[in-house]
Amino acid sequence: MGTREARLDTLDELYLHFGTEAEPWSVHLEIRVAGSLDANRVKAAVRAAMRTHPLARARLAPWRPTDVHYHWLVPEDTDADPVTAVECADDAAVAAARSALQSHAPDLSTDAPFEVVVAHAPGGDYLMLNLHHGAGDGLSAFRLMNSIIRVYAGEPDPVPELDPLVARKVRSLIGAKSLLDRITRAKSLAEHLLTSVKEPARVAPVNGTDAGGYSFSLLHLDPATSKAVMAKRPEGATVNDLLLGGLAVTINRWNREHGHPNGRIALMMPVNLRPAEWQYEVLGNFASYVTVQIDENAQTDLVTAARAAAEGTAKIKSSRTQGLIVDLLELPNALPAGLKRHLPAKKPVVGERIVDTAVLSNLGRMPAAPSLGGDAGSVTELWFSPPGHMPLGTCVGAVSVAGSMFLTVRYRHAQFDSAAAAAFTDLYKRVLTE
């Protein structure tokens, strides 16, 4: 069996090093179906998806501390089986299965940088995916899940006519193309560092513990509610701007309710760097994180905060700041592996000041999945969330399907207990729907 070698790209290396045992850096995505899933059919569908997407069957090549680059080893085929099945008697058991899956990183020494859990539950089974962020971003997780669903449903699963391992070159997509680009991005970096002189507001922790891993609080906005929320967008603001603004107002109110200091709120937001012709295709890391700043005087209400978010995102787009992280990684990525793997744990000169308040990652409006047929039936829910490290312990993932919006609050145990997370999620809902 032949094996192909592919170098980890710029963002792959960054996310490879971010994770720790207590705070794994991986992507959570799951669906729920109306009926029951056949675990053996899921295994077959996952194997087919791995054959379709080379990076889904990749493992990290052994490396030495003196190596400058890491490489994926991609076999032509694999007999890896990343699927397990669990029985869940109730919602609490489902939540425990979700937390257990997402509280560790997939083992990159195997031929699958992801894990799948089939959770059999009353009222409809769940298909849960944990994708190592070193191998892919949120849209990668969605694309991989989409392949699994299509194969299970007996539907075709076409892919673009390009080499997905070659396409993973983000520097060619968004790296600085000219001196003007570099000057503009250097100015943006200077502004960010100047703003970071004062540490951003933190989400007030409530009943946190020192347990590792993550837990989740889920919020579903039905089509009627989603439509009403979207109607509140001020002119020029996107759905994403509205969600950012709503999160800022929620954090402000939460902190005031708990006697915690407020200030500027810095919201981390990924930007999809894939070109339009394959915007939702190709496994890999094409998500460059940027920061949207919302001053305290703009955190008063949803519309005001959404306007402030819209101004921030418009500035990012006009200056192409989403490419800044790719430029900044040029030097550290040239260091020996034994050194650069420790860099994320060594905070730069400004320390925690560059760590944002919270994360909001919005996959956007996704096409409805085909019915899986048989006992499984249609997809009724879709949940997604990004990771985060304390003091950034609150991460919100958003995705819209068939008029509904699914919001996932993923939190570190140091940030909330389950009751506090539910209260924070309910406050976010009230801010969006009042």
Side-chain angles (χ1 to χ4, degrees), residues 273-431:
L273 304 179
R274 293 168 174 81
E277 56 268 27
W278 43 274
Q279 191 168 15
Y280 300 104
E281 297 286 345
V282 183
L283 267 62
N285 279 299
F286 300 87
S288 173
Y289 284 92
V290 297
T291 298
V292 178
Q293 309 275 1
I294 301 182
D295 291 335
E296 191 168 4
N297 60 9
Q299 300 162 19
T300 54
D301 62 88
L302 179 61
V303 173
T304 302
R307 285 198 186 101
E311 292 173 4
T313 54
K315 187 175 181 180
I316 288 167
K317 293 172 185 174
S318 64
S319 63
R320 285 167 52 88
T321 311
Q322 65 268 34
L324 179 59
I325 191 172
V326 176
D327 295 339
L328 290 176
L329 290 172
E330 193 169 353
L331 177 60
N333 277 4
L335 297 173
L339 176 60
K340 62 185 172 185
R341 66 190 295 262
H342 296 293
L343 288 180
K346 309 296 183 185
K347 296 292 189 297
V349 177
V350 290
E352 301 288 10
R353 294 178 180 86
I354 66 166
V355 179
D356 292 336
T357 307
V359 182
L360 180 107
S361 181
N362 180 17
L363 290 186
R365 186 180 302 165
M366 294 298 177
S371 171
L372 277 73
D375 294 335
S378 60
V379 175
T380 59
E381 301 173 15
L382 173 60
W383 305 102
F384 151 76
S385 64
H389 287 182
M390 293 297 289
L392 191 163
T394 307
C395 311
V396 179
V399 60
S400 298
V401 180
S404 283
M405 181 174 290
F406 298 91
L407 297 167
T408 304
V409 178
R410 175 179 183 171
Y411 59 95
R412 287 280 292 109
H413 295 134
Q415 184 72 63
F416 301 130
D417 66 1
S418 59
F424 182 89
T425 305
D426 183 65
L427 178 59
Y428 191 27
K429 180 180 180 181
R430 284 187 278 122
V431 167

Side-chain angles (χ1 to χ4, degrees), residues 251-273:
I251 294 169
N252 178 287
R253 292 187 186 179
W254 177 264
N255 286 352
R256 284 192 283 113
E257 288 175 6
H258 293 87
H260 195 76
N262 271 308
R264 70 178 175 91
I265 289 177
L267 298 178
M268 184 183 291
M269 178 189 79
V271 177
N272 181 19
L273 304 179

Side-chain angles (χ1 to χ4, degrees), residues 139-198:
L139 283 172
S140 295
F142 178 81
R143 184 63 185 87
L144 180 58
M145 179 66 80
N146 215 18
S147 284
I148 297 169
I149 292 172
R150 287 172 176 173
V151 174
Y152 192 103
E155 298 283 340
D157 184 29
V159 293
E161 292 186 2
L162 51 78
D163 186 333
L165 296 179
V166 173
R168 301 161 36 260
K169 308 296 182 187
V170 294
R171 189 173 301 282
S172 65
L173 295 173
I174 199 64
K177 301 286 194 299
S178 64
L179 178 60
L180 179 60
D181 257 359
R182 292 188 180 276
I183 292 173
T184 301
R185 293 178 186 186
K187 181 180 177 183
S188 297
L189 176 61
E191 291 174 352
H192 181 70
L193 293 177
L194 186 61
T195 303
S196 300
V197 169
K198 185 176 180 181

